Amino acid sequence: MCDRERGWSEVPLDKTWQLIAGSAVAGLALSVAAVAAAGPWDSGQRKAERDSAASWGLTGGADHGDGPGSGDLPQAAPSAPGVLGGIGPGAARAQSAPAAPASAGGLAAVLKPLLADPALGTARTASVVDTATGQVLYESGARDAMTPASTVKIATAAAVLAALGPEHRIRTTVAPGASPGQIVLVGGGDPSLTAKKKSPAGSGGSLVALAADTAQALKAAGTATVTLGYDDSLYAGPARHPIGVNPNIAPVTALAADEGRPDESTSGPVDRAEDPSRDAARAFRTLLAERGIEVTGEPARAKAAASVQPLAVTLSTPIAGLVERMLTNSDNDIAEALARQTALASGRPASFEGAEKAVTERLTALGVDTAGSRFADGSGLNRADRISAGLLTGLLVKAADPQRPELRPVLTGLPVAGFTGTLKARNAGSSPAAGLLRAKTGTLTGVNSLSGTVVDPSGRLLAFAFLTANSPGPEGAEKALDKLAAAVATAS
């Protein structure tokens, strides 16, 4: 068993996302190149969306003040028309009058025969919802709980953002140990922690910077020789995922550098370290030695002295960035770390079981129907996971709600069809959904799923989810799912 997967003014709420979606269509083709180059977690996506958001307000050369006397300011000068047309298959749509919204009946007529494709297996469920109004446009078995594979990461993302907020950062610290001359590297569960000189995830936890700060603090105190302990006790329960040893996930520990990867890879399957905590401590020992601190003996598990201030601290990528990276690359290690952070924020043990309860509680508090759901892990590698198509679209609608900006990374992290992450090669090229569709993929043997958002011909942002089981093969199932998603993008 393995996982094969590789952004208001006072506008009526039902119109807000139509305006946003229309703007996104016109600008997306120009922004996706930057996103593909930098990755959404490395500011490319956010810069593009900030630029897009700036375009929603008044335009022109006037200063739009809102302080005293601002009513006497001149009106905005008219802006010049766009010089360059949009690029890609959606360009003509963006520059022409919006089409009439697809009716529920019309969408059903298109989706039903596509859902009957035998390549999807013997069980398939579907849900399509208008994110602005919450109107259900199509559903079939939308409340049936299915094995979701990696689409469960949408639930993990929503839960951790609800629990901690998008700006929270996870701490990795070095503190004095309980014995004289000892320091302890204390893991906080940062999945972005790296021993590389340049972080592959942009800003994030750095053992290199932590070693430099630790060495400076020790030298200032007149200490040049230490013993090194490491503490990964923040997490509880088994470190190994129930699937066992698997190249898609490392042991889940509170202290790991570069996801326990022994090579230069930053995503995808690769054999992992058996003990990521020990290896992170060994890497830290080497970094200290390079900075003039002698570490005697082998690093060993230890506890920091009680009630002491850390010598040095390094902070993770913000939760928003971790969520985006997790969704774009379908990163299982980040997913399990975020599920445990949800547990910790909820007062639960940071274990698979504690995370399951915490995620369920957080999603229920968001107001979505979790009946029949189970979040046995955060990544979707566990076949015991259960989630419905209706729950997935419900979470996407919540993430699109202007009143819930803390959930927005659930949308901004989704791969873009034909451009980024696990959708780079799907609905690509001349597909009418290229650049307009963003979705999380899900693949286990016999299980295939796809859930995300798409801009329809009328400019509406629609949320969709398709879950299937018992497919004869992944290639046919993925192509059938892509046809379904493209149909949502083009139905009118």
Side-chain angles (χ1 to χ4, degrees):
M1 182 193 310
C2 69
D3 187 346
R4 296 179 53 258
E5 300 179 46
R6 316 278 170 242
W8 269 260
S9 59
E10 293 187 9
V11 179
L13 191 57
D14 62 342
K15 297 294 184 183
T16 301
W17 278 100
Q18 293 179 29
L19 294 173
I20 294 173
S23 175
V25 174
L28 181 56
L30 292 176
S31 66
V32 288
V35 175
W41 53 87
D42 196 22
S43 80
Q45 180 83 40
R46 290 190 177 157
K47 183 178 185 302
E49 293 200 350
R50 283 197 299 267
D51 292 345
S52 177
S55 72
W56 303 340
L58 293 172
T59 55
D63 178 8
H64 308 298
D66 57 1
S70 62
D72 298 327
L73 290 174
Q75 293 299 307
S79 295
V83 176
L84 296 176
I87 300 172
R93 176 190 304 180
Q95 297 177 36
S96 61
S103 66
L107 193 57
V110 174
L111 295 182
K112 279 183 178 179
L114 294 175
L115 276 169
D117 190 333
L120 292 172
T122 61
R124 67 290 303 269
T125 64
S127 175
V128 182
V129 180
D130 185 326
T131 64
T133 65
Q135 178 188 1
V136 175
L137 301 177
Y138 179 77
E139 62 180 13
S140 176
R143 280 162 289 282
D144 296 344
M146 301 270 285
T147 300
S150 277
T151 54
V152 81
K153 290 183 174 76
I154 292 174
T156 303
V160 73
L161 288 165
L164 291 170
E167 300 305 321
H168 179 80
R169 292 175 182 259
I170 304 164
R171 292 160 50 101
T172 304
T173 65
V174 176
S179 344
Q182 183 188 52
I183 61 172
V184 180
L185 176 63
V186 184
D190 174 13
S192 70
L193 188 66
T194 180
K196 295 179 169 62
K197 289 182 172 61
K198 184 177 180 181
S199 171
S203 63
S206 170
L207 281 179
V208 177
L210 188 64
D213 291 345
T214 301
Q216 182 179 19
L218 290 171
K219 290 175 182 179
T223 301
T225 303
V226 296
T227 59
L228 177 62
Y230 61 96
D231 183 356
D232 61 357
S233 64
L234 184 65
Y235 287 178
R240 188 69 70 179
H241 189 283
I243 62 172
V245 177
N246 189 286
N248 288 285
I249 190 169
V252 185
T253 77
L255 178 63
D258 301 297
E259 300 183 339
R261 296 174 179 273
D263 57 13
E264 295 302 309
S265 67
T266 58
S267 64
V270 66
D271 289 340
R272 309 303 182 87
E274 292 184 6
D275 190 343
S277 300
R278 180 194 60 197
D279 289 359
R282 287 175 171 173
F284 189 66
R285 176 187 59 184
T286 299
L287 291 167
L288 285 173
E290 292 173 355
R291 286 151 182 81
I293 300 299
E294 180 184 357
V295 179
T296 61
E298 274 285 308
R301 282 185 167 82
K303 289 284 188 180
S307 303
V308 295
Q309 290 295 317
L311 298 172
V313 178
T314 187
L315 301 177
S316 74
T317 301
I319 293 295
L322 293 173
V323 163
E324 289 176 338
R325 186 178 175 200
M326 171 188 71
L327 292 172
T328 299
N329 288 338
S330 196
D331 192 302
N332 299 310
D333 301 282
I334 296 178
E336 297 303 343
L338 295 183
R340 277 163 174 69
Q341 293 297 318
T342 304
L344 291 168
S346 305
R348 295 282 187 181
S351 62
F352 285 106
E353 293 79 8
E356 177 176 357
K357 293 176 181 178
V359 169
T360 303
E361 291 165 356
R362 292 291 176 173
L363 299 187
T364 301
L366 284 175
V368 294
D369 183 8
T370 58
S373 298
R374 185 181 176 193
F375 307 98
D377 68 1
S379 62
L381 288 169
N382 197 327
R383 288 179 178 269
D385 289 330
R386 292 291 183 271
I387 200 168
S388 69
L391 175 54
L392 286 170
T393 53
L395 290 172
L396 294 169
V397 169
K398 293 290 183 183
D401 186 347
Q403 302 303 313
R404 292 189 178 274
E406 73 280 5
L407 299 181
R408 201 72 74 244
V410 175
L411 302 186
T412 59
L414 294 172
V416 181
F419 290 97
T420 60
T422 56
L423 283 189
K424 187 173 184 178
R426 294 176 60 172
N427 267 315
S430 61
S431 168
L436 299 179
L437 182 148
R438 311 186 67 149
K440 183 70 201 75
T441 56
T443 310
L444 294 170
T445 302
V447 174
N448 302 91
S449 54
L450 191 67
S451 179
T453 63
V454 68
V455 182
D456 81 350
S458 70
R460 293 183 302 180
L461 185 69
L462 307 183
F464 68 87
F466 301 109
L467 302 176
T468 73
N470 307 316
S471 66
E475 185 175 352
E478 288 176 0
K479 288 181 178 179
L481 287 169
D482 289 347
K483 289 178 182 179
L484 283 162
V488 178
T490 56
S492 60

